[in-house]
DNA sequence: ACCGCGACTTGTGGATATGGTA
DNA sequence: TACCATATCCACAAGTCGCGGT
């Protein structure tokens, strides 16, 4: 790492998982199901008037009943192995019921507390049929490269490049003001790629003598020009583009229209790895139809493409998978790029629901799970002890599993791949974690742990199970890996894996915090929606900290805060003026007095509220500057918790979920207000 | 009993749309 | 009514995890 200066801002971890050595009380199995769960209390208190503009999708009607009821309760097996989607009545394609605002198709799934039996709905696991018919238009290719003819300099002299070479030079030139330019690995990888494109015996012999400034300038000029196009022209261009893209945006699954996620083929460019990625700067080749495998229903028209001489790499009809197309990544031979349906699709909704139901299932077992791994801390079997400690970290700190990685990937770790130097022991049974996790985001945290864990760690850091000394770079847990751990978890619960703990802990934390909030505010003065939203964010923040979802402080943050302060200044001056005025009026006499005093009074009140609101925002902004709330909202916190809370507290759901989240969580909207995770 | 493959979720930052403000 | 900074969207990288082949 370079200067620790702009290192990831260290999130205030103080609040992180209580230093308590004992696992959390596991939410005493939330009474959760107050028998009288307001039956059909559709009492949607929140202002969330149902008139959502309706996202193109789902016009599938069907009485929401049927789909659920049957499949729901008896879920277990037989054909119910089919993902939910499958079981939905599919509407005849044509019948795009324009009018009929469809209710969300997904009915309640409150699996009242316990026993939701084995089969999760929608779990797209192995071999299950995901669709009967599938129709789509394939993928959209990026435009071919258009040479600009701007010459770069080599050793001070202009060089003529072939279009192909120029394209690569341009990829590089354009990155002039990024700090990749300072990274030796990036430069080396780029040069290797560039050299190859140049061919042997080219005048360009070394990157040092290359000057791409002219191309960079050209690029900037282009950008500027684009910005200055007239509004009408811009609109026209956009409209054009939208029309060209329209057909790629939708796929028909069993006749139902579903949004396609990323239908665009990735354009060529230089690979930008995160952190110190060994492959940064490599050329990401252009992808052609011959590289792409299409998955589509039998008998459906094969998608077209703009390369007359070519054919798709393959046309498949695999009903057990949800992808529409894929190609091999050109950077890493073992990676694939997929085209999937969008987040609002039925496939995704089903698996989202399944994910949370699985986590809730874990909730019912968590007390035992904890008892078990705590017992393992004392085992005479070293491996068991290590696993027990790892499980503790995973559960308590919501660490990721951490699979083994290759040399040619960024050097990051998860729980199972922690190295001895990632964990420091401090007095008072305190453990200090410091490592780079996913995306090379630094995880830094000091936690007090159970003494037995502490003792174990002392040993794990020092020697391996054969008694051999460990050194930096050695695994903290050398006796097992993520796979082994997951295998063990399968014995505890069907479908259980490490990541489920992250989901579980995020969701249960939100649930707990929100309900504590409600308990403490019960009967208290009516709060503004703004205040409630801020309070929700506080809970959200705690979850984000648990999951280590950081963000870099926005560049403009300081600036913005100053502006807010100024605004506050102005407001309070105005307030002062009003108050003076009022005083003056009250002193004076005469007719209009009463009226103008009243009016002043109300203006003063308004002003005070405005001030309060700005202050609130200022505090919240400052408080959240290093925390990314979005990630947990999108991926970890069961949306039903939030929606139910909104209903109970008269907060319009739109205050918490933006448009795309509303779409993504459509499946959860009908949740009972009494829902508890 | 691995281990690479394949498919799907999670994650961040950059690009762009948008809505409040001068 | 253009600006302008933020809020949202999007691209695509980087994880997780089960499976099937050897």
């Amino acid at each position: 790492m370079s200067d620790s200066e702009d290192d990831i801002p260290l999130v205030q971890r103080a609040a992180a998982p209580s230093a308590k050595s004992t696992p959390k009380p596991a939410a005493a199995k939330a009474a959760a199901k107050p028998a009288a769960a307001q039956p059909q209390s559709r009492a949607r208190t929140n202002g969330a008037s149902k008139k959502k503009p309706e996202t193109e999708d789902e016009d599938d009607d069907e009485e929401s009943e049927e789909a659920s009821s049957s499949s729901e309760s008896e879920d277990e097996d037989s054909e119910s192995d089919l993902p939910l989607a499958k079981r939905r009545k599919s509407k005849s394609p044509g019948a795009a019921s324009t009018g009929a605002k469809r209710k969300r198709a997904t009915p309640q799934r409150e699996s009242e507390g316990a026993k939701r039996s084995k089969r999760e709905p929608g779990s797209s696991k192995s071999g299950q049929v995901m669709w009967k018919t599938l129709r789509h238009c394939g993928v959209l290719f990026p435009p071919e490269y258009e040479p600009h003819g701007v010459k770069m300099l080599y050793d001070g002299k202009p060089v003529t490049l072939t279009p192909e070479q120029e394209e690569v030079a341009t990829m590089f030139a354009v990155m002039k003001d990024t700090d990749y330019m300072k990274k030796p690995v990036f430069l080396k990888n780029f040069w290797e790629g560039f050299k190859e494109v140049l061919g042997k015996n080219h005048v360009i012999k070394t990157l040092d003598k290359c000057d791409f400034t002219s191309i960079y300038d050209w690029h900037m000029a282009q950008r500027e020009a684009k910005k200055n196009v007239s509004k009408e022209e811009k609109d026209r261009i956009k409209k054009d583009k939208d029309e060209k893209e329209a057909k790629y945006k939708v796929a028909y699954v069993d006749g139902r229209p579903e949004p396609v996620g990323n239908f665009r083929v990735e354009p060529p460019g230089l690979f930008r790895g995160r952190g110190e990625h060994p492959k940064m700067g490599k050329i990401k080749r252009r992808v052609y139809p011959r590289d792409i495998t299409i998955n589509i229903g039998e008998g459906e028209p094969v998608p077209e493409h703009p390369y007359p001489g070519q054919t798709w790499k393959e046309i498949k009809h695999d009903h057990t998978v949800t992808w529409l197309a894929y190609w091999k990544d050109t950077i890493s031979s073992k990676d694939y790029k997929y085209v999937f349906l969008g987040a609002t699709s039925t496939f995704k909704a089903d698996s989202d629901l399944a994910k949370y139901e699985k986590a809730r299932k874990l909730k019912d077992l968590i007390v035992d799970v904890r008892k078990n791994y705590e017992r393992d801390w004392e085992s005479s079997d070293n491996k068991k002890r290590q696993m027990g400690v790892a499980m503790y970290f995973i559960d308590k700190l919501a660490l990721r599993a951490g699979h083994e990685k290759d040399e040619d990937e960024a050097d990051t770790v998860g729980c199972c791949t922690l190295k001895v130097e990632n964990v420091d022991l401090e007095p008072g049974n305190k453990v200090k974690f410091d490592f780079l996790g996913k995306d090379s985001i630094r995880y830094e945290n000091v936690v007090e742990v159970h003494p037995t864990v502490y003792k174990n760690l002392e040993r794990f850091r020092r020697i391996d199970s054969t008694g051999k000394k460990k050194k930096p770079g050695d695994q903290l847990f050398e006796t097992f890996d993520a796979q082994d751990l997951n295998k063990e978890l399968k014995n505890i619960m069907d479908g259980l894996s490490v990541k489920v703990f992250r989901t579980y802990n995020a969701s249960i934390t939100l649930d707990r915090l929100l309900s504590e909030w409600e308990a403490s505010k019960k009967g208290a003065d009516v709060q503004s929606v703004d205040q409630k939203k801020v309070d929700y964010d506080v809970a959200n923040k705690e979850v984000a900290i648990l999951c280590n979802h950081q963000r870099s402080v926005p560049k403009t943050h300081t600036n913005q805060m100053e502006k807010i302060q100024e605004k506050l200044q102005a407001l309070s001056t105005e307030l002062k003026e009003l108050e003076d005025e009022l005083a003056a009026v009250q002193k004076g006499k005469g007719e209009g007095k009463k009226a103008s005093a009243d009016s002043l009074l109300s203006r003063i009140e308004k002003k005070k509220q405005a001030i309060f609101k700005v202050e609130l925002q200022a505090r919240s902004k400052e408080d959240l500057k290093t925390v990314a709330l979005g990630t947990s909202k999108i991926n970890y916190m069961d949306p039903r918790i939030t929606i139910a809370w909104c209903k109970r507290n008269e907060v319009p759901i739109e205050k918490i979920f933006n448009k795309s989240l509303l779409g993504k969580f459509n499946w959860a909207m009908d949740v009972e207000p009494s829902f508890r995770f």
Side-chain angles (χ1 to χ4, degrees), chain A residues 415-470:
Chain A
C415 184
C416 298
T417 44
L418 283 170
K419 297 171 183 171
V420 293
E421 67 269 30
N422 294 139
V423 172
D424 258 353
L425 300 183
E426 295 179 351
N429 293 322
K430 295 227 174 64
V431 181
K432 178 171 171 199
F433 292 83
D434 190 347
F435 61 88
L436 296 183
K438 181 177 176 179
D439 290 311
S440 292
I441 296 291
R442 189 172 178 187
Y443 182 95
E444 215 181 9
N445 193 10
V446 179
V447 226
E448 184 175 343
V449 301
H450 190 283
T452 311
V453 169
Y454 193 82
K455 223 162 286 163
N456 272 313
L457 284 172
E458 246 169 359
R459 179 188 164 95
F460 300 159
R461 280 173 41 83
R462 225 165 9 91
I463 53 174
D464 69 17
S465 31
T466 69
K468 213 176 87 205
K469 256 213 167 52
K470 288 190 188 176

Side-chain angles (χ1 to χ4, degrees), chain A residues 136-165:
Chain A
H136 60 84
C137 292
V139 294
L140 180 60
F141 290 88
E144 280 298 296
Y145 181 68
E146 290 185 30
H148 47 63
V150 177
K151 296 189 189 341
M152 57 175 286
L153 302 182
Y154 184 72
D155 214 1
K157 291 187 277 293
V159 187
T160 302
L161 298 175
T162 67
E164 197 192 12
Q165 296 163 346

Side-chain angles (χ1 to χ4, degrees), chain A residues 448-506:
Chain A
E448 184 175 343
V449 301
H450 190 283
T452 311
V453 169
Y454 193 82
K455 223 162 286 163
N456 272 313
L457 284 172
E458 246 169 359
R459 179 188 164 95
F460 300 159
R461 280 173 41 83
R462 225 165 9 91
I463 53 174
D464 69 17
S465 31
T466 69
K468 213 176 87 205
K469 256 213 167 52
K470 288 190 188 176
K471 49 184 188 326
D474 286 346
Q475 299 264 301
L476 179 67
F477 303 123
E478 80 284 2
T479 55
F480 64 92
D481 63 18
Q483 235 111 269
D484 299 325
L485 195 48
N486 278 331
K487 210 171 291 172
E488 284 300 312
L489 291 176
K490 296 285 168 296
N491 296 331
I492 299 175
M493 185 189 109
D494 200 37
L496 188 60
S497 64
V498 170
K499 77 196 271 285
V500 180
F501 284 81
R502 239 167 113 78
T503 309
Y504 160 72
N505 275 309

Side-chain angles (χ1 to χ4, degrees), chain A residues 186-204:
Chain A
F186 185 90
L187 299 175
K188 173 180 145 288
N189 283 335
F190 169 72
W191 172 241
E192 275 169 18
F194 191 35
K195 198 165 53 177
E196 200 168 312
V197 175
L198 292 174
K200 50 184 80 142
N201 303 325
H202 199 277
V203 283
I204 297 178

Side-chain angles (χ1 to χ4, degrees), chain A residues 15-16 509 512-513 537-547 629:
Chain A
T509 299
R512 177 174 54 79
L513 292 172
D537 284 349
V538 169
N540 193 159
K541 177 190 173 192
E542 190 158 328
V543 176
I545 288 173
L546 173 68
C547 295
L629 300 186

Side-chain angles (χ1 to χ4, degrees), chain A residues 374-393:
Chain A
E374 285 169 20
R375 186 167 49 235
D376 288 344
W377 298 342
E378 322 257 4
S379 169
S380 55
D381 180 349
N382 199 244
K383 175 172 172 182
K384 261 195 168 167
R385 285 212 313 283
Q386 292 200 349
M387 275 201 182
V389 170
M391 276 311 306
Y392 176 64
F393 291 164

